[in-house]
Amino acid sequence: FCLENTDPRTRGRGIQLLSQVLLQCYSLLQEKEVLHLVLFYESRLQDHHLVIPSVLQGLRALSMSEVLSPGLAVSVLKAIFQEVHVQSLMQLDRHTVYSIITNFMSTREEELKGLGANFTFGFIQVMDGEKDPRNLLVAFQIVHDLIAKDYALGPFVEELFEVTSCYFPVDFTPPPNDPHGIQREDLILSLRAVLASTPQFAEFLLPLLIEKLDSELQSAKLDSLQTLTACCAIYGQKELQEFLPSLWSSLRREVFQTASEKIETECLAALHALSACLSRSVLSSDSEDLLDSFLSSILQDCRHHLCEPDMKLVWPSAKLLQAAAGASLRTYHRITRSVLPLLLEQYTKHTQSSQRRTILEMLLGFLELQQKWGHVEEDESTLLSLQAPVCSVLFSALLDPSVQLQLVGIKALTVLGSLQGFLSSSDLELVVDHLIRLALHEQDSQSSEAAMEAAGSLAPTYPKVFSGRMVPRLEEELQSEREESYHNHHCLQQRCLQALAAVSTHTSIVRETVPVLLQHLQKVQKGTEARNTQDMVSVCQSLHRVALQCQQDAEGCWYFHQTVVPCLLAMAVQAAMPESTHTLPGKALLEEEVLAAMIPVISAATTHLSPELAPQSVSHVVPLFLDGEISFLPQNNFPSSFQPFGDGECVEAQRRLVALLMAFVCSLPRDVAIPQQERLLRELVALSCSCNCPFTATTAAKCFAGLVNKHPAGQQLDEVLQLAVNRMEASLAEGPCRMQALTLLLWVRPALDEWGRGAGRPSQALTVLPAQVTKALVLRYHPLSSCLTDKLLGLLGDTELGPAAADGFSLLMAESPDVLHKGCHADVRIMFRQRFFTDNVPKLVQGFHGAGPDVKANYLKGLSHVLNHLPKPVLVTELPTLLSLLLEALSCSDRVVQLSTLSCLHPLLLEAPQIMSLHVDTLVTKFLNLTSSPTMAVRIAALRCAHALTSLPTTVLLPYKGRVIRALAKPLDDKKRLVRKEAVAARGEW
């Protein structure tokens, strides 16, 4: 009845219902049904305009049918092209037409191609005048497919270009709160894909791009340059020939005159693309070599600027030349043949260091381009023909008193050295001599460090030269006894150590440098100078760098490990012997600072051991500490036994070496079995709870935590934890070792946090396991970690241990640099901080509200530590419930609480201004009060927060403007420069 009704609105409702049904069930239709419906809908296209939208919806449903008879797709599109004036329809209905065309193009491509250019012309009529960005994205994709899938464009190439290029450059600003999420960049990229999809557009597009390049609109220039770069990927010499002079003129003008770094960058990219495009073109015998003439124009317009005495356009000219030269090997040879001799001539001509540096930097740019093409070809390379003058210029730069010129020279020399076949053997020796001189004797540390880096870069390419020439010279300097001030001699030794480490970038060189470093360490150990501690630390730092450089090379890694680790252990054991501890050298090696420097050496030497070699090393090191088995150590003739886990005051020094055991066993891969592990864990628990030395107790706790973190779940682990619990429970209750027990609690909790989720439920006796254990369990989500955290929360109410327990929350949340991190193969689960926050912050808040006034600060400090290490997006979501507590924490007298809270609030002011605006009165008052804190770090943090307040809405801030500006006048006169600097920035922003 509806379909035959004389009222168009009623007919429209009938067709709408039918179309909605078809959109649900088009896949169930049979071929004859589809044919019948298509014919019906085609006839309805001639109906009243109110009916057309519903008709198009029905045709969209039918266009998705897989049983559409051949010829129907063409019939439908012809009917739409003839009967429907698409651009008079609403946006949604126009989108429906584009969808019908898209569906047919994806399923009936050959049929549509049978229409020839008529299909292209029909689509041009459909699209002409489209303005809605949602429809344009679909229309641009259709045009791109027309071209990419080789539909016939016929005589309508220009019309197709015009109907799309009228949107160039895209000028679109999405409305606020746009639900469709279409951005200007989406339209730009979609249109660019169309314009740069065929060389047939070139004769129309290139004049348009040149026109937009000459406009004043920055966005139009950028879009034109990026489109030109994209077009060069498919254009050839024929398309570009007519427009090259105009294009070059526009690009040159922009680089010479623009103040925009973006436009300059895009101009250089476009020039590079043009040169590459011309380089790819295949020349016929009678065609002009456009590349050669194009490069001649570039050289003619840029080369003379390199000779100007004021050097105003030197850099723009050099950038243009380098952009063209980097396009292909042919362009590189053509440009450098003309430019390099000129640069060398100009370097000699100018005498000022600043001018020479500019010229050398340009030369460096061309040298770096040569790296792209690899080996220097003897027959074509301009560089090879200029070998002598280039080396001469670089060597003179290294001798210049200007540090900046030296740095450029060092960098250029590094690039030259990377070009195989360029430097002769005599040049290489001279390079090494210069690097040694700069590394050891150049006063400025920048040049010295750059020379060391250069040596490290070149050493893998020329290992024989560096091991045969540089290493012996460094060894000689290191061992020499000069008659000069102690300070100068000490500085020279430091640089020798750094240089030996820097050059150790090849296994053959490592075999030369490591014995030198170890020999020097032994020499320092036997010496009597007052600075022995610092000297030992310096050697260890150099060994650490070598270890890191060896990690990716299995051979070098194993050599370093089996050479260095036994030697360091032997020296430490020797120093810890009772007969040695009364002498100064022995004490120096056992200093906390020296042991702390040895830890990363042993750790770095162990983390990358192969599964086959690691067990060999474990079988020696662990028995050394448990049984005093010293046979594998070099120089193992010690006067007494080594028993670090023994009793008595005589082994106090030996106990300190547990730090080295920690560095070794906690860095092993998880699948490496540790002999006598249960015994070792028991000894570590006993030592960590009973030792009076904080350093020893902490390292023992860390070692225990590292082992527990990797320990497989099961009864053995439960027994060890039970033992640890018993010891810690007794120690935490009373006695002189409460702090050591707390340290163990903190470390073991995070170790277990990362531990297996499938472990059995812990016994009630385990609920008091101390803090290092806590960290070990937190990291692996071990079920016991929550029990340990509750114990730690309980200690916040302890007047003696409360402050230390609060600081322990920082340990639980922060990255652990030496034991519990992924670099040493610890079991660290993702999002452990978020889980810790969710489980424990409510307990902290509850504890704060129920605590007495003398311990409330402990809860605030613990809370601020947790929040300070939480990912900021998580913190922002929880901010409304926690902000009042954070504001209260600012009133706490503890400077650690103040600092931690301020550092937590600072990013929130920038990331959650709406929430923070609700508390602006309190925030202003608190921040201004803290700018007068007696602690400099608190004053700086408060001023930074006052500065960050300016990110809040202006209407919120205006009532406080005068007050804040007056209050910030006082810190302008602060006695500390860093405070004054922050005050100036904050007050200026207000």
Side-chain angles (χ1 to χ4, degrees):
F1 166 77
C2 289
L3 297 180
E4 295 177 343
N5 197 289
T6 55
D7 179 26
R9 287 183 175 79
T10 305
R11 289 201 306 279
R13 285 198 295 272
I15 295 175
Q16 182 183 23
L17 175 59
L18 177 60
S19 297
Q20 288 173 344
V21 171
L22 290 176
L23 283 168
Q24 299 296 322
C25 69
Y26 64 86
S27 61
L28 307 177
L29 297 175
Q30 298 175 13
E31 185 176 348
K32 287 183 179 179
E33 294 169 333
V34 173
L35 172 61
H36 185 74
L37 287 164
V38 166
L39 294 176
F40 167 74
Y41 273 107
E42 279 185 13
S43 68
R44 291 301 91 200
L45 286 174
Q46 301 173 6
D47 204 333
H48 195 278
H49 68 87
L50 293 175
V51 175
I52 300 302
S54 299
V55 175
L56 292 173
Q57 288 292 346
L59 288 172
R60 181 168 74 89
L62 295 170
S63 72
M64 294 185 282
S65 171
E66 296 180 359
V67 295
L68 197 71
S69 301
L72 285 184
V74 171
S75 176
V76 169
L77 289 182
K78 277 184 177 180
I80 291 175
F81 293 159
Q82 290 172 7
E83 305 295 342
V84 183
H85 184 246
V86 176
Q87 288 306 313
S88 66
L89 300 174
M90 300 291 286
Q91 178 272 327
L92 181 60
D93 302 325
R94 301 197 305 275
H95 194 277
T96 302
V97 175
Y98 295 129
S99 298
I100 293 170
I101 296 172
T102 301
N103 291 338
F104 283 148
M105 288 181 72
S106 62
T107 60
R108 298 290 189 272
E109 182 178 329
E110 293 306 319
E111 291 182 38
L112 299 192
K113 285 182 177 179
L115 278 171
N118 289 331
F119 176 57
T120 302
F121 179 68
F123 176 73
I124 291 172
Q125 288 180 307
V126 167
M127 181 184 174
D128 193 9
E130 181 60 65
K131 294 180 180 178
D132 191 278
R134 292 164 287 180
N135 291 348
L136 283 173
L137 283 177
V138 184
F140 289 156
Q141 185 59 51
I142 292 173
V143 178
H144 184 269
D145 290 344
L146 277 174
I147 297 167
K149 295 180 179 179
D150 204 24
Y151 282 78
L153 305 185
F156 304 115
V157 174
E158 185 172 2
E159 285 79 2
L160 187 62
F161 172 78
E162 291 295 339
V163 84
T164 51
S165 65
C166 63
Y167 303 100
F168 183 86
V170 172
D171 181 19
F172 169 67
T173 303
N177 304 317
D178 178 21
H180 307 289
I182 296 175
Q183 299 297 317
R184 178 172 174 269
E185 191 66 21
D186 300 328
L187 290 167
I188 288 174
L189 295 176
S190 188
L191 177 57
R192 185 177 300 151
V194 171
L195 297 178
S197 61
T198 173
Q200 296 180 72
F201 284 168
E203 61 179 304
F204 315 113
L205 178 59
L206 291 176
L208 176 63
L209 295 181
I210 294 169
E211 176 192 335
K212 299 302 180 185
L213 270 175
D214 296 342
S215 72
E216 296 299 319
L217 197 62
Q218 297 277 343
S219 59
K221 290 183 178 184
L222 278 174
D223 205 351
S224 300
L225 290 165
Q226 290 166 349
T227 303
L228 175 59
T229 302
C231 289
C232 287
I234 63 163
Y235 284 5
Q237 186 164 287
K238 181 180 71 173
E239 287 78 24
L240 293 173
Q241 183 169 6
E242 180 185 346
F243 305 99
L244 279 176
S246 298
L247 286 170
W248 163 239
S249 176
S250 298
L251 294 174
R252 180 191 62 212
R253 183 193 66 247
E254 290 301 326
V255 173
F256 280 172
Q257 297 178 7
T258 186
S260 167
E261 189 176 331
K262 280 186 178 179
I263 288 181
E264 181 188 85
T265 302
E266 294 301 336
C267 280
L268 297 174
L271 180 59
H272 178 95
L274 281 170
S275 303
C277 177
L278 295 174
S279 300
R280 288 194 303 269
S281 299
V282 179
L283 300 179
S284 58
S285 57
D286 58 343
S287 63
E288 178 190 356
D289 186 355
L290 276 185
L291 177 63
D292 191 65
S293 58
F294 183 59
L295 295 178
S296 296
S297 299
I298 297 174
L299 286 165
Q300 181 180 341
D301 291 339
C302 295
R303 192 175 182 274
H304 65 277
H305 289 304
L306 304 181
C307 308
E308 292 175 354
D310 58 4
M311 304 186 83
K312 282 184 179 178
L313 293 176
V314 161
W315 265 120
S317 300
K319 288 177 180 178
L320 287 166
L321 289 166
Q322 288 170 3
S328 67
L329 189 57
R330 187 177 164 208
T331 61
Y332 179 77
H333 288 320
R334 177 72 175 84
I335 297 285
T336 54
R337 192 161 59 241
S338 174
V339 173
L340 288 190
L342 181 63
L343 289 176
L344 295 171
E345 177 189 325
Q346 290 299 306
Y347 183 91
T348 309
K349 181 179 176 182
H350 289 90
T351 56
Q352 292 184 17
S353 295
S354 59
Q355 294 174 324
R356 286 189 158 193
R357 188 188 79 193
T358 301
I359 295 167
L360 195 57
E361 284 174 337
M362 289 188 286
L363 180 63
L364 171 61
F366 287 104
L367 295 179
E368 287 174 333
L369 290 176
Q370 175 70 61
Q371 284 183 303
K372 289 175 63 175
W373 318 116
H375 188 73
V376 182
E377 298 292 340
E378 293 185 19
D379 54 342
E380 290 188 62
S381 176
T382 307
L383 196 56
L384 206 58
S385 65
L386 297 171
Q387 179 181 10
V390 168
C391 289
S392 175
V393 162
L394 295 185
F395 292 150
S396 73
L398 299 184
L399 293 168
D400 195 276
S402 167
V403 172
Q404 296 305 316
L405 184 55
Q406 288 178 7
L407 292 175
V408 181
I410 292 169
K411 192 171 182 181
L413 208 57
T414 307
V415 174
L416 269 189
S418 68
L419 303 176
Q420 287 280 3
F422 183 82
L423 294 175
S424 65
S425 57
S426 59
D427 286 334
L428 270 174
E429 292 179 356
L430 201 52
V431 167
V432 172
D433 292 343
H434 277 294
L435 292 178
I436 293 172
R437 177 185 58 78
L438 289 168
L440 300 186
H441 304 295
E442 177 57 45
Q443 288 187 346
D444 188 89
S445 60
Q446 280 183 285
S447 294
S448 175
E449 290 168 7
M452 294 180 196
E453 292 297 327
S457 299
L458 294 174
T461 309
Y462 310 101
K464 290 184 179 179
V465 178
F466 278 88
S467 61
R469 192 171 185 88
M470 188 169 188
V471 175
R473 288 274 299 279
L474 292 173
E475 181 180 9
E476 181 183 339
E477 292 281 1
L478 190 63
Q479 295 175 350
S480 65
E481 299 293 340
R482 295 174 178 267
E483 295 183 4
E484 54 186 334
S485 69
Y486 174 81
H487 175 75
N488 290 341
H489 180 57
H490 179 73
C491 289
L492 178 63
Q493 286 198 331
Q494 296 296 305
R495 287 195 174 182
C496 284
L497 294 172
Q498 293 167 3
L500 283 166
V503 78
S504 302
T505 50
H506 188 275
T507 302
S508 64
I509 302 176
V510 171
R511 292 179 180 275
E512 303 290 333
T513 56
V514 164
V516 175
L517 290 169
L518 292 176
Q519 184 181 355
H520 184 69
L521 184 61
Q522 291 166 341
K523 177 184 174 183
V524 172
Q525 183 190 17
K526 296 173 184 175
T528 57
E529 289 88 350
R531 292 187 59 127
N532 267 18
T533 298
Q534 187 53 49
D535 290 342
M536 289 180 177
V537 169
S538 298
V539 180
C540 290
Q541 289 170 342
S542 292
L543 286 169
H544 181 229
R545 179 171 179 176
V546 177
L548 293 175
Q549 291 167 178
C550 288
Q551 284 181 340
Q552 302 309 316
D553 176 62
E555 180 189 350
C557 182
W558 178 237
Y559 167 78
F560 184 91
H561 182 87
Q562 65 177 354
T563 305
V564 173
V565 173
C567 183
L568 293 182
L569 290 174
M571 292 173 64
V573 170
Q574 177 67 53
M577 288 296 154
E579 292 80 359
S580 305
T581 51
H582 66 279
T583 63
L584 184 62
K587 287 183 179 179
L589 193 63
L590 298 176
E591 289 284 340
E592 183 176 332
E593 189 179 354
V594 178
L595 291 174
M598 294 171 74
I599 288 171
V601 179
I602 295 176
S603 179
T606 306
T607 53
H608 285 66
L609 284 182
S610 67
E612 297 78 27
L613 297 175
Q616 297 181 32
S617 193
V618 178
S619 64
H620 294 308
V621 175
V622 174
L624 167 68
F625 282 85
L626 288 178
D627 305 315
E629 179 54 60
I630 59 173
S631 59
F632 80 102
L633 298 178
Q635 305 168 355
N636 55 20
N637 186 20
F638 302 123
S640 57
S641 62
F642 178 64
Q643 299 292 335
F645 293 113
D647 297 324
E649 294 183 5
C650 61
V651 297
E652 192 66 40
Q654 296 182 7
R655 289 175 174 175
R656 296 175 71 82
L657 303 192
V658 170
L660 306 184
L661 173 67
M662 174 199 75
F664 176 78
V665 295
C666 293
S667 301
L668 290 166
R670 254 182 275 176
D671 54 357
V672 175
I674 296 175
Q676 306 183 68
Q677 185 169 4
E678 312 314 317
R679 177 187 167 194
L680 177 59
L681 287 168
R682 294 170 188 275
E683 296 285 9
L684 290 168
V685 169
L687 183 60
S688 64
C689 285
S690 62
C691 183
N692 294 323
C693 171
F695 175 77
T696 302
T698 301
T699 52
K702 285 184 179 182
C703 189
F704 181 83
L707 292 172
V708 163
N709 175 260
K710 300 176 188 178
H711 199 295
Q715 182 180 356
Q716 288 182 329
L717 179 61
D718 288 345
E719 290 174 357
V720 171
L721 294 177
Q722 176 74 64
L723 173 67
V725 168
N726 295 340
R727 291 297 298 262
M728 288 186 288
E729 187 177 31
S731 299
L732 284 171
E734 57 182 347
C737 295
R738 296 188 75 202
M739 191 59 72
Q740 289 92 318
L742 173 62
T743 301
L744 183 59
L745 169 63
L746 283 169
W747 275 100
V748 177
R749 193 220 174 276
L752 288 186
D753 213 1
E754 278 306 314
W755 194 54
R757 301 178 181 179
R761 185 174 180 82
S763 64
Q764 291 301 312
L766 297 182
T767 58
V768 290
L769 192 64
Q772 292 282 3
V773 183
T774 310
K775 174 141 188 153
L777 305 187
V778 164
L779 295 180
R780 60 187 285 182
Y781 296 164
H782 188 275
L784 183 56
S785 62
S786 59
C787 305
L788 301 182
T789 307
D790 290 342
K791 179 64 180 175
L792 189 61
L793 287 165
L795 290 173
L796 292 174
D798 188 297
T799 52
E800 179 188 356
L801 293 181
D807 287 331
F809 281 90
S810 176
L811 184 151
L812 295 181
M813 298 292 286
E815 290 291 335
S816 178
D818 47 7
V819 179
L820 296 173
H821 63 92
K822 289 187 176 180
C824 63
H825 312 289
D827 187 357
V828 181
R829 302 289 171 84
I830 61 171
M831 299 178 73
F832 77 89
R833 292 183 180 85
Q834 288 90 319
R835 175 166 174 162
F836 186 88
F837 170 86
T838 304
D839 291 346
N840 297 296
V841 165
K843 299 175 185 177
L844 276 169
V845 174
Q846 183 182 359
F848 169 79
H849 290 304
D854 55 335
V855 294
K856 273 185 178 290
N858 297 337
Y859 289 89
L860 287 176
K861 184 189 287 190
L863 177 66
S864 64
H865 283 315
V866 173
L867 298 182
N868 212 23
H869 290 92
L870 198 67
K872 292 303 176 280
V874 180
L875 185 52
V876 168
T877 60
E878 301 291 338
L879 186 57
T881 58
L882 296 172
L883 190 54
S884 58
L885 264 182
L886 287 172
L887 295 176
E888 191 165 346
L890 290 177
S891 303
C892 180
S893 58
D894 190 314
R895 67 179 181 85
V896 176
V897 176
Q898 292 173 349
L899 260 179
S900 186
T901 307
L902 288 169
S903 62
C904 183
L905 287 172
H906 182 267
L908 296 175
L909 289 165
L910 304 174
E911 295 173 22
Q914 298 304 323
I915 300 173
M916 303 300 277
S917 297
L918 302 175
H919 302 269
V920 65
D921 189 72
T922 307
L923 289 168
V924 168
T925 303
K926 301 280 189 186
F927 293 158
L928 294 182
N929 288 341
L930 290 174
T931 59
S932 303
S933 167
T935 306
M936 183 184 77
V938 173
R939 297 200 300 276
I940 290 175
L943 287 166
R944 285 176 179 164
C945 286
H947 190 168
L949 277 174
T950 58
S951 64
L952 303 186
T954 307
T955 51
V956 174
L957 299 178
L958 282 176
Y960 303 93
K961 179 179 174 181
R963 173 186 167 193
V964 173
I965 290 175
R966 287 192 298 274
L968 293 182
K970 182 182 177 183
L972 292 177
D973 294 325
D974 197 280
K975 59 184 179 181
K976 295 294 185 180
R977 181 184 62 83
L978 293 176
V979 177
R980 296 196 300 272
K981 178 183 175 183
E982 295 295 340
V984 167
R987 193 167 186 265
E989 200 64 34
W990 273 91

